[in-house]
Amino acid sequence: MGKGGNQGEGATESESPMPTFSWEEIQKHNLRTDRWLVIDRKVYNITKWSSRHPGGLRVIGHYAGEDATDAFYAFHPDLDFVRKFLKPLLIGELAPEEPSQDRGKNSQITEDFRALRKIAEDMNLFKPNHLFFLLLLAHIIAMESIAWFTIFYFGNGWIPTLVTAFVLVISQAQAGWLQHDYGHLSVYKKSIWNHIVHKFVIGHLKGASANWWNHRHFQHHAKPNIFHKDPDVNMLHMFVLGKWQPIEYGKKKLKYLPYNHQHQYFFLIGPPLLIPMYFQYQIIMTMIVRKDWVDLAWAISYYTRFFFTYIPFYGVLGAFVFLNFIRFLESHWFVWVTQMNHIVMEVGQESYRDWLSSQLAATCNVEQSFFNDWFSGHLNFQIEHHLFPTMPRHNFYKIAPLVKSLCAKHGIEYQEKPLLQALQDIIRSLKKSGQLWLDAYLHK
């Protein structure tokens, strides 16, 4: 039980003596209406403040009742600024006899990982190369210009239309990787500038919502591949993933779709439909329902620019079909790249691992090459990105050997594979999970 009297929100660090709490008591405060978490052995009551959390109330709520130290440092590059918000939430600290890690997490792995983060800081690996990101933005804008010029100069025949579509697909995919950089606050030192450019790239260049992306993507990073916490593994009953879910569905005789064939119908409803159907609808509805007028204005600027550019060549209906054809093609690119690092890995329920172990269990890498780096937006270094989400992507290859050494020291598997194998593993994983479902459905 806690020692000391004040357990309310709003205590200050200067109060003495500081109330102390056991992990047993802290872990009780993991409800939507009662949330505590621990950072650097300090206990914070985030119950009321979580709804104002810039990253969203869900992502911070996923650490209620836990030690959130490594997640805190991973997501916040401007620590001095963020600590101003933490100070009034402080209610105490861990009792002296309590370990720094909850639920028996490996303290040596945690210490070694934090030492690695310090090495990365000393190597200036969190310092961005602004020319790198400027060239990425320039090549996206150049492709947008080339696409328009192709139609303007050669006309709207089938060949110019297809060439233009493929150029715009490349532009959209690369803009997707670039907005990811700004969304993770990895380009500018001040968060505000990252947020501004993020809204421009994802809003004006792609027609999507920065806030929608933030609230969804940060949950994925905080608890990757954890059901009910990572929205990326919420497949709306269309697919079953990992080992636990298909067996549970099978035992309960749940058969929304024939999951033993999911590795086949994946080609029909996965890559083709995610962006043009599900994401497009979800993004627009989210902006309207949440009254996110700023993001909606940015998205409208994209659609205005697109239709103003292409209606003169294709008409209103033709431009609408052209837009969705581009998104249909881009969706294939996006799905294959984003899933090759995750659904092939462990997918299951919360197991309360340390930061390093939890990220390595849910991510794998694809071998480095100039093409793989460009094609995936450096998400072929998914392990390093998940461990250090604010690190500029052009530095992932520098920290990778040190991450490998740390994993080898602690017997943690560091998976790296060729691109083609990584793509094939998506289908193998879906097939394996589908068979687990069928076996449980028929025999349990």
Side-chain angles (χ1 to χ4, degrees):
M1 293 297 293
K3 302 173 184 178
N6 187 1
Q7 297 181 23
E9 198 164 5
T12 64
E13 201 162 354
S14 61
E15 289 183 355
S16 182
M18 181 80 70
T20 60
F21 303 98
S22 67
W23 276 117
E24 182 181 2
E25 172 148 350
I26 292 168
Q27 289 165 10
K28 295 176 183 177
H29 300 270
N30 65 347
L31 306 174
R32 186 179 181 88
T33 56
D34 182 18
R35 290 173 168 173
W36 294 6
L37 54 72
V38 176
I39 298 173
D40 289 327
R41 295 188 64 86
K42 297 291 192 295
V43 182
Y44 299 91
N45 184 344
I46 62 167
T47 305
K48 296 179 181 178
W49 187 81
S50 60
S51 62
R52 304 194 299 273
H53 181 233
L57 62 87
R58 290 184 179 178
V59 64
I60 195 171
H62 293 336
Y63 277 93
E66 296 182 44
D67 177 67
T69 304
D70 292 309
F72 173 76
Y73 284 101
F75 292 134
H76 302 103
D78 192 347
L79 294 174
D80 292 335
F81 176 75
V82 177
R83 286 193 177 104
K84 295 177 183 178
F85 295 92
L86 278 180
K87 190 172 182 179
L89 308 179
L90 181 66
I91 60 171
E93 60 186 6
L94 284 173
E97 67 273 13
E98 290 289 335
S100 296
Q101 301 300 309
D102 60 295
R103 296 178 173 87
K105 295 175 183 174
N106 190 314
S107 59
Q108 189 59 54
I109 292 178
T110 299
E111 290 177 12
D112 287 350
F113 173 73
R114 291 175 184 175
L116 175 60
R117 183 178 181 87
K118 181 63 169 61
I119 291 173
E121 292 170 352
D122 293 341
M123 293 172 64
N124 290 321
L125 297 186
F126 291 93
K127 184 177 181 180
N129 180 338
H130 292 290
L131 179 61
F132 173 86
F133 292 105
L134 181 63
L135 291 175
L136 286 176
L137 179 60
H139 103 291
I140 291 167
I141 294 174
M143 284 186 289
E144 294 275 346
S145 303
I146 291 170
W148 171 82
F149 181 77
T150 300
I151 293 296
F152 174 79
Y153 187 81
F154 295 102
N156 61 354
W158 280 106
I159 293 179
T161 296
L162 289 175
V163 170
T164 299
F166 281 113
V167 172
L168 288 175
V169 167
I170 296 172
S171 173
Q172 285 294 290
Q174 292 300 317
W177 308 143
L178 184 60
Q179 68 82 22
H180 180 264
D181 298 312
Y182 289 102
H184 274 295
L185 313 179
S186 63
V187 181
Y188 298 111
K189 184 175 181 180
K190 293 294 184 181
S191 297
I192 184 63
W193 289 110
N194 287 294
H195 289 312
I196 291 172
V197 181
H198 186 215
K199 287 186 181 294
F200 168 76
V201 177
I202 196 173
H204 184 67
L205 295 183
K206 289 192 64 63
S209 165
N211 288 339
W212 167 86
W213 184 89
N214 285 338
H215 293 172
R216 179 186 178 92
H217 194 66
F218 291 157
Q219 290 183 75
H220 161 69
H221 270 269
K223 296 288 184 176
N225 286 11
I226 302 299
F227 288 118
H228 308 301
K229 293 186 177 182
D230 179 359
D232 285 3
V233 295
N234 176 13
M235 295 293 173
L236 301 176
H237 304 302
M238 293 184 179
F239 302 96
V240 289
L241 305 177
K243 297 179 180 178
W244 174 83
Q245 187 185 42
I247 293 174
E248 285 298 303
Y249 270 47
K251 288 179 179 178
K252 295 176 181 178
K253 308 305 178 186
L254 297 177
K255 187 182 180 181
Y256 297 96
L257 287 170
Y259 298 120
N260 52 311
H261 296 292
Q262 65 178 3
H263 61 291
Q264 296 168 324
Y265 66 70
F266 170 78
F267 292 94
L268 300 177
I269 65 175
L273 301 182
L274 182 65
I275 290 179
M277 294 287 290
Y278 178 64
F279 273 3
Q280 189 165 251
Y281 171 79
Q282 188 187 58
I283 290 168
I284 293 173
M285 290 305 299
T286 299
M287 291 188 291
I288 293 173
V289 170
R290 294 182 179 175
K291 298 181 180 180
D292 194 349
W293 308 129
V294 173
D295 278 12
L296 185 60
W298 277 110
I300 289 173
S301 76
Y302 164 80
Y303 288 106
T304 300
R305 175 175 60 85
F306 184 90
F307 287 115
F308 180 81
T309 302
Y310 292 104
I311 283 177
F313 301 104
Y314 297 107
V316 175
L317 179 60
F320 178 78
V321 172
F322 188 50
L323 171 65
N324 282 280
F325 177 62
I326 292 165
R327 290 191 162 162
F328 165 81
L329 295 177
E330 180 203 355
S331 189
H332 286 78
W333 189 336
F334 175 83
V335 170
W336 286 100
V337 168
T338 56
Q339 298 310 305
M340 68 184 182
N341 305 106
H342 288 301
I343 67 170
V344 300
M345 301 299 290
E346 182 179 319
V347 184
Q349 294 180 298
E350 178 67 85
S351 54
Y352 300 106
R353 293 185 174 104
D354 60 88
W355 181 258
L356 178 70
S357 301
S358 66
Q359 302 299 335
L360 267 293
T363 58
C364 65
N365 278 8
V366 171
E367 292 175 350
Q368 184 191 19
S369 69
F370 177 82
F371 175 79
N372 287 354
D373 292 351
W374 174 85
F375 180 71
S376 68
H378 288 82
L379 294 182
N380 49 326
F381 287 97
Q382 192 71 236
I383 292 173
E384 288 70 28
H385 171 58
H386 265 254
L387 293 175
F388 310 103
T390 61
M391 181 180 289
R393 57 162 132 154
H394 53 72
N395 287 331
F396 288 156
Y397 77 96
K398 298 178 182 178
I399 195 66
L402 300 180
V403 174
K404 289 180 183 178
S405 297
L406 179 58
C407 290
K409 175 181 177 180
H410 292 285
I412 299 173
E413 185 178 10
Y414 182 105
Q415 288 195 38
E416 185 177 37
K417 60 187 74 171
L419 177 61
L420 184 59
Q421 179 186 335
L423 299 177
Q424 292 171 338
D425 282 350
I426 297 174
I427 306 305
R428 295 189 187 104
S429 173
L430 289 172
K431 185 176 182 179
K432 182 178 180 180
S433 296
Q435 189 59 48
L436 287 173
W437 168 82
L438 183 62
D439 292 343
Y441 187 85
L442 294 177
H443 306 300
K444 294 184 180 180

